[in-house]
Amino acid sequence: MNKSNPYPSFGVLLVDDEAPFLRSLSIALERLGGINHIYRCEDSREVMGVIAREPIGLVLLDLTMPHLSGETLLRQIVEEYPEIGVIVVSGLNQLETAVNCIRLGAYDYFVKTTEEDRLIGGIRRAIESQEIRLENQEMRKRFLTDTLERPEVFAGIVTRDKGMRSVFQYLEAVSASSQPVLICGESGVGKELIAHAIHTLSNRNGPVVCVNVAGLDDNVFADTLFGHHRGAFTGADRTRAGMIEQAAGGTLFLDEIGDLSLASQVKLLRLLQEGEYYPLGSDRPKRIRARVVVATHQDLARKQQAGEFRKDLYYRLRTHQVEIPPLRNRKGDIPLLLEHFLAEAAAELGKTVPTVPKELAVLLANHAFPGNVRELRALAFDAMSQHKSRMLSMEVFRRALGQNETLLAPEGEAEPAPFGHMQTLPKLNEVGDLLVAEAIRRAQGNQSLAARLLGVSQPALSKRLKKAGSEDAG
């Protein structure tokens, strides 16, 4: 068995009494399918022992063998290890035998003399099916027990948000898979940090190679990813390895995948479907030996419906998909992140960490943060660069956040109509009172912040509150 970045995560056991066939099948699986987590068994009497000792998830089983027949073994495996997939690879092209094997619980049936490509394709489909079953088991286990097995992997992502914890649990469950992962989320939410966490979880010994594909035309995209041979085009005076080759044994992270041209989308789809690519100027394919992780801030479902993103590629990418919530939807993280970034900035600037005014958390909680975590980090560093006294000044944040603290409607959605469902409109002074009460609630009783949210001066708000108080008392 090849122990370097084994694929799949579980073992594939080849059972046949013909040693030459076992050898040739092993070579074909690795060369054409990238499958290297292989065990071989020539004696059918030893099969159940191998399954008991090793982490077998798929068995390729010959039917006609001395000692124990393939059909007998199939019955035993299905009965004792129902979670293991079995593919029958027989020398006999008999429909009745094939139907009987499927009825007994085999995943598929192939004839040895059938073309190699069909067999490899069938085995890869069986592996994907097993991976999804194992992932579903892992997800159920993690969500039901609310556990993280490797919390240290996520230590660099500052959060206590339940939505983020669910993302972490999902990523742990799919970490062993070879399928691509699609990371969605607005700009600045930390998609690259998530990509690095996926890489660490997958225990790959190769590097993470990051490529921002936004703005790459089709030729540059192909050259960047696939590399080229010397003389492939004018100016190609030497062979250059592409990013896929540089990421061998590791993770290839493609950022801003939503900006990829349709021509480049075809190339990426073929890479993911076939697991192979051609360097420019070469007629010999190379196998991809990296896991692909992609990210976008765009709505791929909407782009796909508009004909701007290939449907087949979209469905291939969304096999494993995570949505990173924007900062405005995890306000509990704002104080944590602020503290983290202020400490980071203080260390970088050689200053002491300041005391944070209590009102600052309230001010930040009422900001939409269109730039998300990246925006908060920039604010913290800007404030620290101007910081002089023990108490952190609110002024930098007030200036940066400005007067307009309203949440913008997501792109493509209409502005909310708060009175649309009302048959009769409320009186003007009633709306004003409700608005003031909501501003006071959001500002947690701080009149200065409430006045800023309302776009009025503090004396004007104070006067209104006093008037309302006296009217209530009267």
Side-chain angles (χ1 to χ4, degrees), residues 422-454:
M422 295 183 182
Q423 288 186 336
T424 57
L425 289 173
K427 300 293 182 288
L428 194 58
N429 64 324
E430 291 172 349
V431 174
D433 291 342
L434 289 169
L435 198 56
V436 167
E438 178 62 16
I440 293 289
R441 186 190 69 78
R442 290 190 182 199
Q444 297 178 19
N446 186 305
Q447 286 190 25
S448 173
L449 290 178
R452 285 180 59 78
L453 294 175
L454 292 166

PDB file of all heavy atoms in Angstrom, residues 422-454:
ATOM      1  N   MET A 422     -49.315  46.989   6.018  1.00  0.00           N
ATOM      2  CA  MET A 422     -50.321  47.698   6.825  1.00  0.00           C
ATOM      3  C   MET A 422     -51.430  48.252   5.922  1.00  0.00           C
ATOM      4  O   MET A 422     -51.157  48.856   4.887  1.00  0.00           O
ATOM      5  CB  MET A 422     -49.670  48.861   7.589  1.00  0.00           C
ATOM      6  CG  MET A 422     -48.651  48.442   8.628  1.00  0.00           C
ATOM      7  SD  MET A 422     -48.040  49.896   9.499  1.00  0.00           S
ATOM      8  CE  MET A 422     -46.846  49.141  10.604  1.00  0.00           C
ATOM      9  N   GLN A 423     -52.675  48.069   6.381  1.00  0.00           N
ATOM     10  CA  GLN A 423     -53.802  48.623   5.612  1.00  0.00           C
ATOM     11  C   GLN A 423     -53.903  50.128   5.822  1.00  0.00           C
ATOM     12  O   GLN A 423     -54.209  50.880   4.903  1.00  0.00           O
ATOM     13  CB  GLN A 423     -55.101  47.931   6.034  1.00  0.00           C
ATOM     14  CG  GLN A 423     -55.182  46.486   5.522  1.00  0.00           C
ATOM     15  CD  GLN A 423     -56.530  45.861   5.806  1.00  0.00           C
ATOM     16  OE1 GLN A 423     -57.235  46.279   6.722  1.00  0.00           O
ATOM     17  NE2 GLN A 423     -56.899  44.859   5.024  1.00  0.00           N
ATOM     18  N   THR A 424     -53.680  50.586   7.062  1.00  0.00           N
ATOM     19  CA  THR A 424     -53.678  52.029   7.354  1.00  0.00           C
ATOM     20  C   THR A 424     -52.320  52.407   7.913  1.00  0.00           C
ATOM     21  O   THR A 424     -51.717  51.644   8.685  1.00  0.00           O
ATOM     22  CB  THR A 424     -54.770  52.385   8.383  1.00  0.00           C
ATOM     23  OG1 THR A 424     -54.563  51.612   9.562  1.00  0.00           O
ATOM     24  CG2 THR A 424     -56.160  52.111   7.825  1.00  0.00           C
ATOM     25  N   LEU A 425     -51.840  53.570   7.546  1.00  0.00           N
ATOM     26  CA  LEU A 425     -50.524  54.018   7.989  1.00  0.00           C
ATOM     27  C   LEU A 425     -50.582  54.567   9.416  1.00  0.00           C
ATOM     28  O   LEU A 425     -51.577  55.197   9.796  1.00  0.00           O
ATOM     29  CB  LEU A 425     -49.987  55.104   7.054  1.00  0.00           C
ATOM     30  CG  LEU A 425     -49.558  54.647   5.651  1.00  0.00           C
ATOM     31  CD1 LEU A 425     -49.225  55.859   4.791  1.00  0.00           C
ATOM     32  CD2 LEU A 425     -48.359  53.722   5.741  1.00  0.00           C
ATOM     33  N   PRO A 426     -49.489  54.349  10.204  1.00  0.00           N
ATOM     34  CA  PRO A 426     -49.454  54.955  11.537  1.00  0.00           C
ATOM     35  C   PRO A 426     -49.259  56.470  11.429  1.00  0.00           C
ATOM     36  O   PRO A 426     -48.823  56.975  10.397  1.00  0.00           O
ATOM     37  CB  PRO A 426     -48.238  54.274  12.186  1.00  0.00           C
ATOM     38  CG  PRO A 426     -47.375  53.866  11.045  1.00  0.00           C
ATOM     39  CD  PRO A 426     -48.290  53.566   9.906  1.00  0.00           C
ATOM     40  N   LYS A 427     -49.572  57.184  12.511  1.00  0.00           N
ATOM     41  CA  LYS A 427     -49.368  58.637  12.550  1.00  0.00           C
ATOM     42  C   LYS A 427     -47.871  58.924  12.588  1.00  0.00           C
ATOM     43  O   LYS A 427     -47.074  58.128  13.086  1.00  0.00           O
ATOM     44  CB  LYS A 427     -50.041  59.248  13.784  1.00  0.00           C
ATOM     45  CG  LYS A 427     -51.553  59.018  13.849  1.00  0.00           C
ATOM     46  CD  LYS A 427     -52.262  59.773  12.748  1.00  0.00           C
ATOM     47  CE  LYS A 427     -53.768  59.594  12.846  1.00  0.00           C
ATOM     48  NZ  LYS A 427     -54.195  58.251  12.450  1.00  0.00           N
ATOM     49  N   LEU A 428     -47.477  60.097  12.070  1.00  0.00           N
ATOM     50  CA  LEU A 428     -46.071  60.470  11.955  1.00  0.00           C
ATOM     51  C   LEU A 428     -45.365  60.464  13.313  1.00  0.00           C
ATOM     52  O   LEU A 428     -44.257  59.959  13.450  1.00  0.00           O
ATOM     53  CB  LEU A 428     -45.959  61.857  11.301  1.00  0.00           C
ATOM     54  CG  LEU A 428     -44.572  62.264  10.807  1.00  0.00           C
ATOM     55  CD1 LEU A 428     -44.053  61.258   9.795  1.00  0.00           C
ATOM     56  CD2 LEU A 428     -44.609  63.659  10.175  1.00  0.00           C
ATOM     57  N   ASN A 429     -46.066  61.028  14.340  1.00  0.00           N
ATOM     58  CA  ASN A 429     -45.420  61.070  15.664  1.00  0.00           C
ATOM     59  C   ASN A 429     -45.280  59.674  16.270  1.00  0.00           C
ATOM     60  O   ASN A 429     -44.337  59.392  17.005  1.00  0.00           O
ATOM     61  CB  ASN A 429     -46.197  62.004  16.614  1.00  0.00           C
ATOM     62  CG  ASN A 429     -47.613  61.487  16.884  1.00  0.00           C
ATOM     63  OD1 ASN A 429     -48.243  60.923  15.988  1.00  0.00           O
ATOM     64  ND2 ASN A 429     -48.101  61.686  18.096  1.00  0.00           N
ATOM     65  N   GLU A 430     -46.204  58.739  15.912  1.00  0.00           N
ATOM     66  CA  GLU A 430     -46.122  57.359  16.411  1.00  0.00           C
ATOM     67  C   GLU A 430     -44.891  56.654  15.828  1.00  0.00           C
ATOM     68  O   GLU A 430     -44.177  55.934  16.532  1.00  0.00           O
ATOM     69  CB  GLU A 430     -47.383  56.573  16.033  1.00  0.00           C
ATOM     70  CG  GLU A 430     -48.637  57.020  16.762  1.00  0.00           C
ATOM     71  CD  GLU A 430     -49.903  56.358  16.225  1.00  0.00           C
ATOM     72  OE1 GLU A 430     -49.842  55.714  15.153  1.00  0.00           O
ATOM     73  OE2 GLU A 430     -50.939  56.493  16.884  1.00  0.00           O
ATOM     74  N   VAL A 431     -44.654  56.881  14.542  1.00  0.00           N
ATOM     75  CA  VAL A 431     -43.479  56.283  13.894  1.00  0.00           C
ATOM     76  C   VAL A 431     -42.208  56.828  14.537  1.00  0.00           C
ATOM     77  O   VAL A 431     -41.266  56.086  14.823  1.00  0.00           O
ATOM     78  CB  VAL A 431     -43.472  56.580  12.376  1.00  0.00           C
ATOM     79  CG1 VAL A 431     -42.185  56.081  11.737  1.00  0.00           C
ATOM     80  CG2 VAL A 431     -44.657  55.925  11.695  1.00  0.00           C
ATOM     81  N   GLY A 432     -42.183  58.137  14.781  1.00  0.00           N
ATOM     82  CA  GLY A 432     -41.016  58.762  15.421  1.00  0.00           C
ATOM     83  C   GLY A 432     -40.735  58.168  16.777  1.00  0.00           C
ATOM     84  O   GLY A 432     -39.580  57.854  17.106  1.00  0.00           O
ATOM     85  N   ASP A 433     -41.787  57.946  17.567  1.00  0.00           N
ATOM     86  CA  ASP A 433     -41.605  57.373  18.920  1.00  0.00           C
ATOM     87  C   ASP A 433     -41.050  55.945  18.839  1.00  0.00           C
ATOM     88  O   ASP A 433     -40.173  55.566  19.614  1.00  0.00           O
ATOM     89  CB  ASP A 433     -42.946  57.364  19.673  1.00  0.00           C
ATOM     90  CG  ASP A 433     -43.420  58.779  20.022  1.00  0.00           C
ATOM     91  OD1 ASP A 433     -42.573  59.701  19.986  1.00  0.00           O
ATOM     92  OD2 ASP A 433     -44.617  58.955  20.316  1.00  0.00           O
ATOM     93  N   LEU A 434     -41.593  55.165  17.878  1.00  0.00           N
ATOM     94  CA  LEU A 434     -41.111  53.778  17.715  1.00  0.00           C
ATOM     95  C   LEU A 434     -39.648  53.751  17.280  1.00  0.00           C
ATOM     96  O   LEU A 434     -38.856  52.921  17.748  1.00  0.00           O
ATOM     97  CB  LEU A 434     -41.967  53.045  16.670  1.00  0.00           C
ATOM     98  CG  LEU A 434     -43.399  52.690  17.088  1.00  0.00           C
ATOM     99  CD1 LEU A 434     -44.198  52.223  15.881  1.00  0.00           C
ATOM    100  CD2 LEU A 434     -43.394  51.618  18.174  1.00  0.00           C
ATOM    101  N   LEU A 435     -39.284  54.676  16.379  1.00  0.00           N
ATOM    102  CA  LEU A 435     -37.914  54.750  15.872  1.00  0.00           C
ATOM    103  C   LEU A 435     -36.937  55.124  16.983  1.00  0.00           C
ATOM    104  O   LEU A 435     -35.856  54.541  17.111  1.00  0.00           O
ATOM    105  CB  LEU A 435     -37.855  55.777  14.734  1.00  0.00           C
ATOM    106  CG  LEU A 435     -36.662  55.728  13.792  1.00  0.00           C
ATOM    107  CD1 LEU A 435     -36.518  54.356  13.148  1.00  0.00           C
ATOM    108  CD2 LEU A 435     -36.796  56.806  12.713  1.00  0.00           C
ATOM    109  N   VAL A 436     -37.331  56.082  17.804  1.00  0.00           N
ATOM    110  CA  VAL A 436     -36.489  56.509  18.933  1.00  0.00           C
ATOM    111  C   VAL A 436     -36.313  55.349  19.921  1.00  0.00           C
ATOM    112  O   VAL A 436     -35.201  55.071  20.389  1.00  0.00           O
ATOM    113  CB  VAL A 436     -37.110  57.747  19.641  1.00  0.00           C
ATOM    114  CG1 VAL A 436     -36.417  58.005  20.991  1.00  0.00           C
ATOM    115  CG2 VAL A 436     -36.996  58.974  18.750  1.00  0.00           C
ATOM    116  N   ALA A 437     -37.411  54.652  20.209  1.00  0.00           N
ATOM    117  CA  ALA A 437     -37.337  53.523  21.153  1.00  0.00           C
ATOM    118  C   ALA A 437     -36.402  52.433  20.633  1.00  0.00           C
ATOM    119  O   ALA A 437     -35.605  51.857  21.391  1.00  0.00           O
ATOM    120  CB  ALA A 437     -38.737  52.953  21.394  1.00  0.00           C
ATOM    121  N   GLU A 438     -36.470  52.152  19.314  1.00  0.00           N
ATOM    122  CA  GLU A 438     -35.597  51.132  18.727  1.00  0.00           C
ATOM    123  C   GLU A 438     -34.128  51.561  18.763  1.00  0.00           C
ATOM    124  O   GLU A 438     -33.227  50.752  19.029  1.00  0.00           O
ATOM    125  CB  GLU A 438     -36.040  50.841  17.292  1.00  0.00           C
ATOM    126  CG  GLU A 438     -35.179  49.834  16.533  1.00  0.00           C
ATOM    127  CD  GLU A 438     -35.160  48.439  17.137  1.00  0.00           C
ATOM    128  OE1 GLU A 438     -36.032  48.127  17.980  1.00  0.00           O
ATOM    129  OE2 GLU A 438     -34.258  47.658  16.772  1.00  0.00           O
ATOM    130  N   ALA A 439     -33.881  52.858  18.490  1.00  0.00           N
ATOM    131  CA  ALA A 439     -32.504  53.370  18.534  1.00  0.00           C
ATOM    132  C   ALA A 439     -31.931  53.263  19.948  1.00  0.00           C
ATOM    133  O   ALA A 439     -30.772  52.868  20.126  1.00  0.00           O
ATOM    134  CB  ALA A 439     -32.463  54.814  18.050  1.00  0.00           C
ATOM    135  N   ILE A 440     -32.731  53.593  20.949  1.00  0.00           N
ATOM    136  CA  ILE A 440     -32.289  53.487  22.357  1.00  0.00           C
ATOM    137  C   ILE A 440     -31.990  52.026  22.699  1.00  0.00           C
ATOM    138  O   ILE A 440     -31.004  51.710  23.367  1.00  0.00           O
ATOM    139  CB  ILE A 440     -33.362  54.060  23.316  1.00  0.00           C
ATOM    140  CG1 ILE A 440     -33.502  55.593  23.129  1.00  0.00           C
ATOM    141  CG2 ILE A 440     -33.049  53.724  24.770  1.00  0.00           C
ATOM    142  CD1 ILE A 440     -32.328  56.416  23.629  1.00  0.00           C
ATOM    143  N   ARG A 441     -32.846  51.106  22.181  1.00  0.00           N
ATOM    144  CA  ARG A 441     -32.618  49.673  22.450  1.00  0.00           C
ATOM    145  C   ARG A 441     -31.312  49.200  21.817  1.00  0.00           C
ATOM    146  O   ARG A 441     -30.509  48.527  22.455  1.00  0.00           O
ATOM    147  CB  ARG A 441     -33.794  48.857  21.897  1.00  0.00           C
ATOM    148  CG  ARG A 441     -33.726  47.358  22.248  1.00  0.00           C
ATOM    149  CD  ARG A 441     -34.760  46.556  21.480  1.00  0.00           C
ATOM    150  NE  ARG A 441     -34.469  46.497  20.066  1.00  0.00           N
ATOM    151  CZ  ARG A 441     -33.544  45.691  19.519  1.00  0.00           C
ATOM    152  NH1 ARG A 441     -32.795  44.907  20.283  1.00  0.00           N
ATOM    153  NH2 ARG A 441     -33.348  45.695  18.215  1.00  0.00           N
ATOM    154  N   ARG A 442     -31.097  49.571  20.552  1.00  0.00           N
ATOM    155  CA  ARG A 442     -29.873  49.148  19.866  1.00  0.00           C
ATOM    156  C   ARG A 442     -28.621  49.751  20.491  1.00  0.00           C
ATOM    157  O   ARG A 442     -27.565  49.127  20.498  1.00  0.00           O
ATOM    158  CB  ARG A 442     -29.939  49.554  18.384  1.00  0.00           C
ATOM    159  CG  ARG A 442     -30.948  48.762  17.583  1.00  0.00           C
ATOM    160  CD  ARG A 442     -30.784  49.034  16.109  1.00  0.00           C
ATOM    161  NE  ARG A 442     -31.787  48.321  15.319  1.00  0.00           N
ATOM    162  CZ  ARG A 442     -31.666  48.076  14.025  1.00  0.00           C
ATOM    163  NH1 ARG A 442     -30.594  48.502  13.368  1.00  0.00           N
ATOM    164  NH2 ARG A 442     -32.605  47.434  13.368  1.00  0.00           N
ATOM    165  N   ALA A 443     -28.767  50.978  20.980  1.00  0.00           N
ATOM    166  CA  ALA A 443     -27.610  51.650  21.605  1.00  0.00           C
ATOM    167  C   ALA A 443     -27.461  51.276  23.076  1.00  0.00           C
ATOM    168  O   ALA A 443     -26.594  51.815  23.774  1.00  0.00           O
ATOM    169  CB  ALA A 443     -27.762  53.162  21.469  1.00  0.00           C
ATOM    170  N   GLN A 444     -28.291  50.335  23.526  1.00  0.00           N
ATOM    171  CA  GLN A 444     -28.250  49.838  24.916  1.00  0.00           C
ATOM    172  C   GLN A 444     -28.316  50.990  25.923  1.00  0.00           C
ATOM    173  O   GLN A 444     -27.600  51.022  26.917  1.00  0.00           O
ATOM    174  CB  GLN A 444     -27.001  48.977  25.136  1.00  0.00           C
ATOM    175  CG  GLN A 444     -27.008  47.727  24.260  1.00  0.00           C
ATOM    176  CD  GLN A 444     -25.770  46.864  24.414  1.00  0.00           C
ATOM    177  OE1 GLN A 444     -25.051  46.986  25.417  1.00  0.00           O
ATOM    178  NE2 GLN A 444     -25.503  46.011  23.443  1.00  0.00           N
ATOM    179  N   GLY A 445     -29.207  51.948  25.623  1.00  0.00           N
ATOM    180  CA  GLY A 445     -29.450  53.058  26.550  1.00  0.00           C
ATOM    181  C   GLY A 445     -28.514  54.237  26.390  1.00  0.00           C
ATOM    182  O   GLY A 445     -28.692  55.259  27.069  1.00  0.00           O
ATOM    183  N   ASN A 446     -27.513  54.130  25.511  1.00  0.00           N
ATOM    184  CA  ASN A 446     -26.555  55.233  25.325  1.00  0.00           C
ATOM    185  C   ASN A 446     -27.166  56.264  24.370  1.00  0.00           C
ATOM    186  O   ASN A 446     -27.303  56.022  23.178  1.00  0.00           O
ATOM    187  CB  ASN A 446     -25.245  54.673  24.758  1.00  0.00           C
ATOM    188  CG  ASN A 446     -24.152  55.715  24.658  1.00  0.00           C
ATOM    189  OD1 ASN A 446     -24.346  56.752  24.051  1.00  0.00           O
ATOM    190  ND2 ASN A 446     -23.003  55.414  25.241  1.00  0.00           N
ATOM    191  N   GLN A 447     -27.530  57.459  24.943  1.00  0.00           N
ATOM    192  CA  GLN A 447     -28.215  58.471  24.131  1.00  0.00           C
ATOM    193  C   GLN A 447     -27.330  59.027  23.018  1.00  0.00           C
ATOM    194  O   GLN A 447     -27.815  59.357  21.940  1.00  0.00           O
ATOM    195  CB  GLN A 447     -28.710  59.613  25.033  1.00  0.00           C
ATOM    196  CG  GLN A 447     -29.924  59.227  25.866  1.00  0.00           C
ATOM    197  CD  GLN A 447     -30.545  60.433  26.553  1.00  0.00           C
ATOM    198  OE1 GLN A 447     -30.391  61.565  26.092  1.00  0.00           O
ATOM    199  NE2 GLN A 447     -31.248  60.180  27.658  1.00  0.00           N
ATOM    200  N   SER A 448     -26.025  59.149  23.285  1.00  0.00           N
ATOM    201  CA  SER A 448     -25.116  59.684  22.276  1.00  0.00           C
ATOM    202  C   SER A 448     -25.101  58.782  21.036  1.00  0.00           C
ATOM    203  O   SER A 448     -25.204  59.259  19.903  1.00  0.00           O
ATOM    204  CB  SER A 448     -23.707  59.801  22.868  1.00  0.00           C
ATOM    205  OG  SER A 448     -22.787  60.170  21.864  1.00  0.00           O
ATOM    206  N   LEU A 449     -24.990  57.445  21.251  1.00  0.00           N
ATOM    207  CA  LEU A 449     -24.984  56.506  20.117  1.00  0.00           C
ATOM    208  C   LEU A 449     -26.352  56.447  19.448  1.00  0.00           C
ATOM    209  O   LEU A 449     -26.449  56.365  18.230  1.00  0.00           O
ATOM    210  CB  LEU A 449     -24.582  55.109  20.589  1.00  0.00           C
ATOM    211  CG  LEU A 449     -23.125  54.926  21.001  1.00  0.00           C
ATOM    212  CD1 LEU A 449     -22.890  53.510  21.486  1.00  0.00           C
ATOM    213  CD2 LEU A 449     -22.189  55.240  19.851  1.00  0.00           C
ATOM    214  N   ALA A 450     -27.424  56.503  20.253  1.00  0.00           N
ATOM    215  CA  ALA A 450     -28.781  56.472  19.692  1.00  0.00           C
ATOM    216  C   ALA A 450     -28.998  57.668  18.774  1.00  0.00           C
ATOM    217  O   ALA A 450     -29.597  57.541  17.694  1.00  0.00           O
ATOM    218  CB  ALA A 450     -29.815  56.463  20.818  1.00  0.00           C
ATOM    219  N   ALA A 451     -28.498  58.842  19.187  1.00  0.00           N
ATOM    220  CA  ALA A 451     -28.635  60.050  18.363  1.00  0.00           C
ATOM    221  C   ALA A 451     -27.905  59.875  17.037  1.00  0.00           C
ATOM    222  O   ALA A 451     -28.398  60.261  15.977  1.00  0.00           O
ATOM    223  CB  ALA A 451     -28.088  61.260  19.125  1.00  0.00           C
ATOM    224  N   ARG A 452     -26.713  59.237  17.076  1.00  0.00           N
ATOM    225  CA  ARG A 452     -25.948  58.998  15.843  1.00  0.00           C
ATOM    226  C   ARG A 452     -26.708  58.065  14.903  1.00  0.00           C
ATOM    227  O   ARG A 452     -26.743  58.276  13.696  1.00  0.00           O
ATOM    228  CB  ARG A 452     -24.590  58.370  16.166  1.00  0.00           C
ATOM    229  CG  ARG A 452     -23.582  59.354  16.749  1.00  0.00           C
ATOM    230  CD  ARG A 452     -22.259  58.628  17.034  1.00  0.00           C
ATOM    231  NE  ARG A 452     -21.700  58.022  15.845  1.00  0.00           N
ATOM    232  CZ  ARG A 452     -21.045  58.689  14.888  1.00  0.00           C
ATOM    233  NH1 ARG A 452     -20.875  59.995  14.984  1.00  0.00           N
ATOM    234  NH2 ARG A 452     -20.560  58.067  13.837  1.00  0.00           N
ATOM    235  N   LEU A 453     -27.339  57.020  15.477  1.00  0.00           N
ATOM    236  CA  LEU A 453     -28.101  56.088  14.657  1.00  0.00           C
ATOM    237  C   LEU A 453     -29.296  56.768  13.989  1.00  0.00           C
ATOM    238  O   LEU A 453     -29.694  56.408  12.882  1.00  0.00           O
ATOM    239  CB  LEU A 453     -28.593  54.902  15.497  1.00  0.00           C
ATOM    240  CG  LEU A 453     -27.525  53.956  16.056  1.00  0.00           C
ATOM    241  CD1 LEU A 453     -28.155  52.908  16.952  1.00  0.00           C
ATOM    242  CD2 LEU A 453     -26.744  53.283  14.943  1.00  0.00           C
ATOM    243  N   LEU A 454     -29.862  57.748  14.682  1.00  0.00           N
ATOM    244  CA  LEU A 454     -31.030  58.457  14.158  1.00  0.00           C
ATOM    245  C   LEU A 454     -30.650  59.626  13.251  1.00  0.00           C
ATOM    246  O   LEU A 454     -31.513  60.196  12.583  1.00  0.00           O
ATOM    247  CB  LEU A 454     -31.891  58.971  15.322  1.00  0.00           C
ATOM    248  CG  LEU A 454     -32.593  57.882  16.150  1.00  0.00           C
ATOM    249  CD1 LEU A 454     -33.122  58.465  17.452  1.00  0.00           C
ATOM    250  CD2 LEU A 454     -33.731  57.256  15.354  1.00  0.00           C
TER     251      LEU A 454
END
